[in-house]
Amino acid sequence: MVVKVGIAKLGNIASGVMAELLLDERADREDMQSFMATSGTKLQPEDIERVVSNMKAWKPDFCIVVSPNGVLPGPKGAREDLAAAGIPCVVITDDITTKKDDFAALKESSFGYIIMKADSMIGARREFLDPIEMADYNGNLVKVLSLTGAFRKLQLALDKVIDQVKAGKKGAELELPKIVMTSDKAVAGEFTNPYALAKARAAYEIAQAVAGVNVKGCFMTKGHENYTPIVASAHEMMRSATLLCDEAREIEKGCNGVIRMPHKADGEIVKKVELISKPW
């Protein structure tokens, strides 16, 4: 059986850059195929409708809906529209846990969710953010989410849904993930060296804190001479988190302890630690 996995990308967060690639890293899986529809940079109703209509036409077995601030009317309406068409949805978004009523409603709904707490908003002030700064920030954030273990946990959760579809479950029968990706969840089982784990955990905590700094700089501070240093400092925090991740990775390399978990062509996940060895 070939499982059809839809990815509805509304606006941008770093998790959306890698969502489908994490499921088929060598593009050789024979048990699944993916289709991404994107609204581009915008979250306007007409952009979201274009994504939803294309996704409904493709008829995936389940859909991953990736967006910033997943409790906004646009992303919320998109997943509700897809669910009404009989398509189960897993929401991937940044940290919405502080919006208690909205998050409680999501928890009680039939939707799955993966809340990436460290997938922090960017310092979107024109005096600071140009296309290169944007790309550099997202590159750093992708590295943090990768090397701390957050992306692996996201991938494993989605693979479990694929396995359920392969086993014959569909629609409401699917058990969808409900995960808030904290630093402890991200780093669990990822490292063979405790110092590497500590550095990765620190990186995740720093990346998670970036959102608060950028909120202050983007929405709570007036005057470019005041808010530009604030958003610049948030980007420096993300760079520092990246450096910690590099240090953690190098420690793991030094003790030949990097954990690798590739997919086989049939979707089975195998594992190895020593570099010169076969995954099993």
Side-chain angles (χ1 to χ4, degrees):
M1 178 183 182
V2 177
V3 180
K4 296 174 70 174
V5 181
I7 299 96
K9 183 174 174 288
L10 311 176
N12 182 71
I13 57 174
S15 298
V17 176
M18 290 286 162
E20 81 279 18
L21 303 179
L22 293 169
L23 299 174
D24 192 12
E25 67 276 9
R26 288 184 313 284
D28 67 349
R29 281 185 71 167
E30 299 169 352
D31 64 325
M32 63 154 285
Q33 62 180 144
S34 61
F35 169 70
M36 176 179 280
T38 177
S39 68
T41 60
K42 303 290 195 297
L43 287 172
Q44 298 302 317
E46 60 271 22
D47 300 308
I48 291 175
E49 172 55 32
R50 182 177 68 250
V51 172
V52 171
S53 60
N54 276 284
M55 197 58 62
K56 289 195 289 189
W58 194 61
K59 299 179 180 179
D61 293 296
F62 72 97
C63 186
I64 303 161
V65 182
V66 193
S67 77
N69 201 352
V71 296
L72 287 174
K76 182 179 177 183
R79 61 178 175 264
E80 289 175 347
D81 197 357
L82 291 166
I87 301 170
C89 293
V90 178
V91 177
I92 299 178
T93 190
D94 51 2
D95 192 5
I96 57 168
T97 59
T98 57
K99 298 161 185 172
K100 294 183 179 179
D101 291 341
D102 291 322
F103 181 51
L106 179 60
K107 288 202 302 186
E108 293 167 7
S109 74
S110 62
F111 299 110
Y113 58 83
I114 303 175
I115 311 298
M116 301 293 277
K117 288 177 74 69
D119 201 335
S120 292
M121 73 166 284
I122 199 166
R125 284 291 198 173
R126 185 170 286 108
E127 293 83 356
F128 174 67
L129 193 73
D130 75 336
I132 301 308
E133 186 69 36
M134 177 278 301
D136 183 52
Y137 177 87
N138 277 285
N140 286 337
L141 183 44
V142 165
K143 175 164 278 193
V144 170
L145 296 174
S146 299
L147 298 188
T148 57
F151 271 167
R152 177 147 25 231
K153 306 309 187 306
L154 181 151
Q155 169 248 309
L156 291 173
L158 297 176
D159 267 319
K160 286 182 180 178
V161 182
I162 293 172
D163 288 342
Q164 290 177 63
V165 176
K166 288 163 66 175
K169 292 185 178 181
K170 57 185 178 180
E173 298 174 333
L174 293 175
E175 183 178 342
L176 302 176
K178 292 182 180 290
I179 298 170
V180 176
M181 195 70 67
T182 62
S183 56
D184 290 328
K185 281 194 174 108
V187 302
E190 289 294 322
F191 299 94
T192 58
N193 184 287
Y195 285 103
L197 184 147
K199 285 177 179 289
R201 192 184 184 286
Y204 197 92
E205 292 283 351
I206 293 170
Q208 187 174 300
V210 165
V213 179
N214 275 329
V215 166
K216 180 179 179 180
C218 290
F219 303 118
M220 300 170 65
T221 307
K222 295 181 179 180
H224 70 88
E225 68 281 7
N226 298 318
Y227 59 64
T228 302
I230 294 174
V231 294
S233 72
H235 281 226
E236 291 299 321
M237 289 168 67
M238 191 61 75
R239 178 177 176 271
S240 295
T242 304
L243 295 175
L244 281 167
C245 286
D246 276 335
E247 291 173 5
R249 185 77 166 183
E250 291 305 307
I251 290 172
E252 293 289 278
K253 288 180 187 177
C255 59
N256 201 14
V258 174
I259 297 168
R260 301 180 192 275
M261 298 175 62
H263 292 95
K264 294 174 69 174
D266 64 359
E268 179 187 359
I269 298 171
V270 289
K271 183 177 179 180
K272 60 173 282 184
V273 176
E274 293 182 354
L275 179 61
I276 309 303
S277 65
K278 287 280 192 180
W280 49 269

